[in-house]
Amino acid sequence: MLRASAAQFVETQHRLIDQGMENRLGAFPIGPVFGDDVLPVDPVEAMRTGRAHRVPLIVGTNAEEGRLFTRFLRMLPTNESMIEELLADTEPAARERITAAYPDYPAPSACIQLGGDFAFSSAAWQIAEAHGAHAPTYLYRYDYAPRTLRWSGLGATHATELLAVFDVYRTRFGALLTAAADRRAALRVSNHVQRRWRAFSRTGSPGDDWPAYSPDERAVMVFDRKSRIEFDPHPHRRMAWDGFSLAR
């Protein structure tokens, strides 16, 4: 491995991903391996038992995570056949619990939401529950998308929060994204996100009006045209994924 080039590593990674998608859709074949001196236990388990560093944490997802993966990087289960394959070896009760959390399943929108929750939201919920028991933890959901992204069918999909975090809406590209009378709203959301991130980096808290996550309230900051706090907004979806894992 020390003699391999960067190009060889990238080529090998792509090959492993392709093979992994054939063997078990959604079980991403590259990730941290725990059980050695570098990473002795599973990170979420370390958080749950208080063995992780007890530092303040912000964790969150976007409202429509899965939509990006219906167009590009088709690595997530976002339609009925892919989801049925994903859940093929799952206990019947668990399978029923997961699909029942999406009442319109197998409608396309429900499938896309399920795939996004499987890959992203379930991890954020588990991390917030685990780490929040030992250190201040703040959960968010990023809902904002300009009309151009909504018209394209992507909406507030994976990574679109980076447009606000890194001030993209003030660039020429951002001006194109907000050409449909969305510029003021986009800048307002950007300012809000950046203000929270800066406050957190300085003090460990994103603001007194953003409650830390707790099992009693499960507060979630929703970033949108009108940002707000919601409490446990999707309990059935959150509970449906509890304990589910494809890890080997």
Side-chain angles (χ1 to χ4, degrees), residues 139 196 207 209-212 217-223 226-233:
L139 185 61
R196 299 290 187 175
D209 57 340
W210 182 346
E217 294 188 329
R218 296 189 170 89
V220 179
M221 170 63 76
V222 180
F223 290 107
K226 292 186 178 181
S227 297
R228 61 198 180 274
I229 296 291
E230 294 186 3
F231 297 95
D232 201 10

Side-chain angles (χ1 to χ4, degrees), residues 83-117:
I83 290 168
E84 292 301 324
E85 181 183 341
L86 172 78
L87 301 176
D89 297 332
T90 304
E91 291 291 330
R95 182 201 172 281
E96 176 61 26
R97 183 183 72 241
I98 291 170
T99 55
Y102 304 87
D104 295 330
Y105 180 80
S109 60
C111 290
I112 294 169
Q113 190 71 70
L114 189 155
D117 284 354

Side-chain angles (χ1 to χ4, degrees), residues 10 38 43 47 67 93 124 169 176 180 188 201 207 228:
V10 172
V38 177
M47 294 177 186
R67 290 194 177 276
Y169 288 121
L176 291 174
R188 185 168 62 249
S201 70
R228 61 198 180 274

Side-chain angles (χ1 to χ4, degrees), residues 27-243:
F28 199 69
I30 300 171
V33 176
F34 63 87
D36 58 15
D37 293 340
V38 177
L39 194 62
V41 297
D42 172 80
V44 177
E45 182 60 24
M47 294 177 186
R48 187 175 291 114
T49 57
R51 296 173 63 183
H53 289 302
R54 300 185 182 191
V55 296
L57 173 70
I58 288 180
V59 62
T61 57
N62 293 1
E64 299 166 280
E65 291 278 4
R67 290 194 177 276
L68 178 69
F69 300 89
T70 64
R71 306 280 187 86
F72 316 99
L73 304 172
R74 296 176 181 270
M75 299 183 292
L76 297 187
T78 53
N79 60 49
E80 183 181 9
S81 62
M82 298 163 83
I83 290 168
E84 292 301 324
E85 181 183 341
L86 172 78
L87 301 176
D89 297 332
T90 304
E91 291 291 330
R95 182 201 172 281
E96 176 61 26
R97 183 183 72 241
I98 291 170
T99 55
Y102 304 87
D104 295 330
Y105 180 80
S109 60
C111 290
I112 294 169
Q113 190 71 70
L114 189 155
D117 284 354
F118 154 72
F120 299 104
S121 301
S122 61
W125 291 324
Q126 290 175 30
I127 288 169
E129 294 277 346
H131 197 66
H134 303 281
T137 301
Y138 303 92
L139 185 61
Y140 74 86
R141 193 183 74 228
Y142 186 83
D143 284 19
Y144 176 73
R147 290 175 178 83
T148 50
L149 287 181
R150 297 203 179 279
W151 291 338
S152 73
L154 290 173
T157 195
H158 184 67
T160 52
E161 85 287 357
L162 299 180
L163 300 173
V165 173
F166 293 109
D167 227 11
V168 173
Y169 288 121
R170 285 187 168 85
T171 68
R172 185 174 298 178
F173 176 62
L176 291 174
L177 286 176
T178 57
D182 279 320
R183 184 165 176 78
R184 292 178 67 180
L187 295 181
R188 185 168 62 249
V189 173
S190 296
N191 291 339
H192 186 197
V193 170
Q194 292 170 26
R195 176 168 58 83
R196 299 290 187 175
W197 267 224
R198 285 195 299 267
F200 181 79
S201 70
R202 288 195 303 264
T203 69
S205 168
D208 293 339
D209 57 340
W210 182 346
Y213 189 90
S214 70
D216 296 331
E217 294 188 329
R218 296 189 170 89
V220 179
M221 170 63 76
V222 180
F223 290 107
D224 205 346
R225 292 173 183 271
K226 292 186 178 181
S227 297
R228 61 198 180 274
I229 296 291
E230 294 186 3
F231 297 95
D232 201 10
H234 301 294
H236 294 95
R237 284 162 49 188
R238 173 180 56 78
M239 292 185 289
W241 293 100
D242 189 35

